[in-house]
Amino acid sequence: HTWLPDAHVEAPTAGSVILAGVLLKMGTYGLLRFSFPLFPHAAIACAPYLAALAVVGIVYGALVSMVQPDLKKLVAYSSVSHLGFCMLGLYAMNSAGFAGGMLTMLNHGVSTGALFLLVGVIYERRHTRMIADFGGLWKPLPVYASVFLVVMLSSIGLPGTNGFVGEFLVLLGAFRAQPLWAALAATGVIFSACYMLWMFQRVMFGPVTHAENENLPDLTLRERLAFAPLLVLIVWMGVMPQPFLDRVQPARDRTLELAQQRLGTPVAALP
């Protein structure tokens, strides 16, 4: 929560994409692969505290994102918020929560990785990431703005995009375990819509407020080909998530089964 936004801002675009798409999942993977099967008693005992930290991360990351003047730092803090959903789903310790947490890990890599790529594209053209330096980009960059719109909507969890399914399953699992956590985490969904839509409005809409933005080149063919598979995944995982859920189901069920065997009883929900 402290080093991640600074690491994202200082890293080049490729570093940020790798960090968001792969490396951030090492922590949640470690919990899922080692902590729950090997130490189920400790996981159950710590679940209320770690779920509380997850909710704090969701809300805190969203609120801090809302006040960021730097486009990349806004995306970085939104990454903190979304990883909170992964944690909450895992510590709900039920099938829906596990499925939502694992799917959110995949969704986060696609959507947040794409957002960092989009920030990198505009930084290469303008050499600035300050939101105040943009405005009205839809006119000179219609294709870029359209791609940004789809990725931004997936990040806030619009139904029909990949972000919705994972967050819905996380909230469903959290509600079954402890309704209070689900209610508090749901505010993070609202806040994410606030800061993402406000950012998009300031960057893309309105008049072109800086002359440097009027003649910016739109996405090249190479850049469009790079974004195409990400857009396909966003829609595919949102409209038809079952293949992805089926792929993780055996491991998910086995992890819950191992935890139950070591506990000697069915996995308890959050108290």
Side-chain angles (χ1 to χ4, degrees):
H1 295 78
T2 53
W3 62 264
L4 176 66
D6 291 330
H8 272 309
V9 171
E10 295 299 327
T13 299
S16 293
V17 172
I18 292 172
L19 185 59
V22 181
L23 298 181
L24 290 186
K25 313 307 182 299
M26 293 298 100
T28 46
Y29 171 80
L31 291 170
L32 192 63
R33 188 67 180 86
F34 301 108
S35 175
F36 294 125
L38 296 177
F39 312 107
H41 292 281
I44 288 291
C46 295
Y49 309 105
L50 290 170
L53 285 174
V55 172
V56 170
I58 291 169
V59 177
Y60 171 79
L63 291 175
V64 176
S65 292
M66 209 176 292
V67 298
Q68 292 304 316
D70 186 312
L71 200 55
K72 197 171 188 182
K73 192 166 279 191
L74 183 150
V75 177
Y77 275 105
S78 77
S79 183
V80 173
S81 182
H82 286 113
L83 260 293
F85 278 102
C86 296
M87 288 289 294
L88 183 62
L90 296 183
Y91 278 97
M93 291 193 178
N94 53 43
S95 185
F98 264 38
M102 295 168 81
L103 196 59
T104 302
M105 288 159 64
L106 295 173
N107 295 337
H108 176 271
V110 173
S111 299
T112 306
L115 282 173
F116 279 119
L117 281 174
L118 288 162
V119 174
V121 165
I122 200 65
Y123 181 75
E124 288 296 319
R125 287 158 167 73
R126 280 285 278 114
H127 302 290
T128 178
R129 294 189 300 262
M130 294 294 122
I131 294 175
D133 292 334
F134 300 111
L137 290 188
W138 195 291
K139 183 179 179 182
L141 305 171
V143 177
Y144 172 81
S146 301
V147 174
F148 205 127
L149 176 64
V150 175
V151 176
M152 181 269 298
L153 291 175
S154 79
S155 181
I156 65 178
L158 182 77
T161 63
N162 59 341
F164 173 76
V165 183
E167 290 183 1
F168 177 80
L169 286 172
V170 167
L171 293 174
L172 179 63
F175 185 82
R176 289 175 178 174
Q178 172 55 271
L180 177 61
W181 299 128
L184 293 173
T187 63
V189 179
I190 300 169
F191 290 143
S192 70
C194 291
Y195 66 74
M196 277 293 181
L197 291 171
W198 188 34
M199 174 273 292
F200 192 80
Q201 183 263 330
R202 287 179 290 166
V203 171
M204 298 297 175
F205 294 143
V208 178
T209 53
H210 294 79
E212 303 93 324
N213 297 328
E214 290 182 349
N215 299 312
L216 292 177
D218 208 343
L219 293 181
T220 64
L221 177 61
R222 179 175 65 88
E223 290 167 338
R224 296 183 192 195
L225 291 175
F227 283 113
L230 295 174
L231 296 176
V232 170
L233 278 173
I234 285 171
V235 177
W236 181 15
M237 296 172 74
V239 175
M240 196 171 62
Q242 198 60 47
F244 300 91
L245 293 171
D246 290 342
R247 185 68 181 86
V248 302
Q249 184 175 356
R252 181 189 76 208
D253 293 345
R254 180 61 177 156
T255 301
L256 283 170
E257 182 185 337
L258 283 172
Q260 290 172 359
Q261 288 175 357
R262 286 164 173 75
L263 282 170
T265 57
V267 174
L270 294 177

